Amino acid sequence: MKKLVYSVVFLLGAMQMASAQTYPEKPITLVIPYTPAGITDNSGRLAAKKLSERLGQPIVIENRPGAGGAVGAEYAARAKPDGYTIFQGTRGTQVTNAMILKDVKIPAAADFASVYGFIDAATVIVVRDDAPFQTLEELVAYAKQNPGKVNYATAGNGSGAHLTGELFQDVAGIQMTHVPYRGSAPAVQDLLGGSVSVAFDYPATTASFIKSGRLRALAVVYGERISSLPDVPTASEAGVAGAESSSWMGFFVPAGTPAHIVKRLSDEMDLVMQDLDMQQKIVEMGAIPLHANSQELDKLISDDSQRWSEVLKRVTIDSN
């Protein structure tokens, strides 16, 4: 009987080793839960290209936007756990959606295995160049005089920018009206078109418009100035301290994916993030390279869960 048990264990170990050596044997799908052209999509495509080169297999991008990333998260969580579906999760999809989107089906944290966190993104507050407020101080004063009349756009309910916007209002003592979109690109386009007054978004989608003069950056809601927009003050420098926030992003796989595949993907992403070209391109997006392996990403999720549960006790989020 013992010989049979040893044989089975040996056979399973040999099969796992063979699988580890041959994976991947076919193209991999990366599910991105937002529309193309936003920072989630741009950074995901960049990381996928670098990771594909290391794995020797194509990585096909599949955008599945909706419900603040919940649509794509639900789809990815139900995929076969074989390493051929990767999900690009965010603080929103992995932490805060479950706290605020009460009427939307949200996968539990246990539905995913963490692979690697690779980007931390700052939020920038932007307005049209002809807006009636030209500084953050003027925006706050205008919003105080006109409660609820300033519309602000974000990439969607539960997105990092949305929560940053709510945190900013709480700290500044103002009330604005949230207008959610299905991604950063349509939010910024409507700001350019005049449909909304303000946008909380990322330099990846706003920097070119800021530099061309079509948009004005009032502040970066982050702990320090960012290299892609060095002349833009932080919210604290502009008079609203305490609203510092950021939005991390990383790769996940469905729960149940073999541990050796998760480790292979995490190890390869660690090598991707040592690539100086990768780091430079992330900086050019107005973001910060993040180096968080599976265990570190799990801790980031745990820490964020505690922080935002406290914040959301003070802030009312409209999830409709």
Side-chain angles (χ1 to χ4, degrees), residues 30 32 34-51 59-63 88 118 251 278 285:
L30 172 62
I32 297 178
Y34 294 102
T35 55
I39 190 169
T40 310
D41 181 78
N42 290 345
S43 63
R45 289 174 186 271
L46 172 63
K49 181 178 183 297
K50 299 284 188 180
L51 182 59
I59 297 181
V60 180
I61 308 299
E62 188 169 341
N63 292 91
Q88 185 169 354
F118 63 93
F251 284 163
M278 177 72 175
M285 291 180 187

Side-chain angles (χ1 to χ4, degrees), residues 299-310:
K299 185 178 187 305
L300 185 58
I301 291 170
S302 176
D303 290 347
D304 259 6
S305 295
Q306 182 174 350
R307 182 196 181 196
W308 285 98
S309 66
E310 291 298 321

Side-chain angles (χ1 to χ4, degrees), residues 70-90:
V71 171
E74 175 67 17
Y75 173 80
R78 305 305 166 215
K80 187 176 180 180
D82 57 4
Y84 290 98
T85 298
I86 299 174
F87 176 63
Q88 185 169 354
T90 66

Side-chain angles (χ1 to χ4, degrees), residues 15-26 28-29 51 55 80-86 113-116 251-270 294:
M15 291 172 62
Q16 187 179 68
M17 185 178 296
S19 174
Q21 291 173 344
T22 59
Y23 172 84
E25 298 180 288
K26 61 182 181 180
I28 296 168
T29 296
L51 182 59
L55 294 175
K80 187 176 180 180
D82 57 4
Y84 290 98
T85 298
I86 299 174
S114 298
V115 173
Y116 200 90
F251 284 163
F252 298 80
V253 290
T257 300
H260 66 276
I261 290 179
V262 176
K263 186 177 187 307
R264 170 79 190 279
L265 290 171
S266 184
D267 289 347
E268 295 293 356
M269 275 300 299
D270 195 48
S294 301

Side-chain angles (χ1 to χ4, degrees), residues 183-207:
S184 292
V188 173
Q189 285 301 317
D190 265 14
L191 175 63
L192 289 166
S195 299
V196 290
S197 305
V198 182
F200 282 70
D201 211 278
Y202 307 102
T205 43
T206 60

Side-chain angles (χ1 to χ4, degrees), residues 245-300:
S245 179
S246 65
S247 300
W248 54 260
M249 302 166 201
F251 284 163
F252 298 80
V253 290
T257 300
H260 66 276
I261 290 179
V262 176
K263 186 177 187 307
R264 170 79 190 279
L265 290 171
S266 184
D267 289 347
E268 295 293 356
M269 275 300 299
D270 195 48
L271 293 171
V272 164
M273 289 306 298
Q274 294 177 33
D275 184 330
L276 295 181
D277 180 64
M278 177 72 175
Q279 295 177 26
Q280 180 59 34
K281 283 183 166 59
I282 289 176
V283 170
E284 289 171 359
M285 291 180 187
I288 298 90
L290 185 62
H291 304 265
N293 62 26
S294 301
Q295 294 74 28
E296 292 165 336
L297 184 52
D298 281 339
K299 185 178 187 305
L300 185 58

Side-chain angles (χ1 to χ4, degrees), residues 133-144 168 218 238-240:
F133 21 80
Q134 297 288 293
T135 66
L136 192 67
E137 183 181 17
E138 290 178 1
L139 168 61
V140 170
Y142 184 92
K144 284 183 176 179
F168 175 80
L218 303 185
V240 182

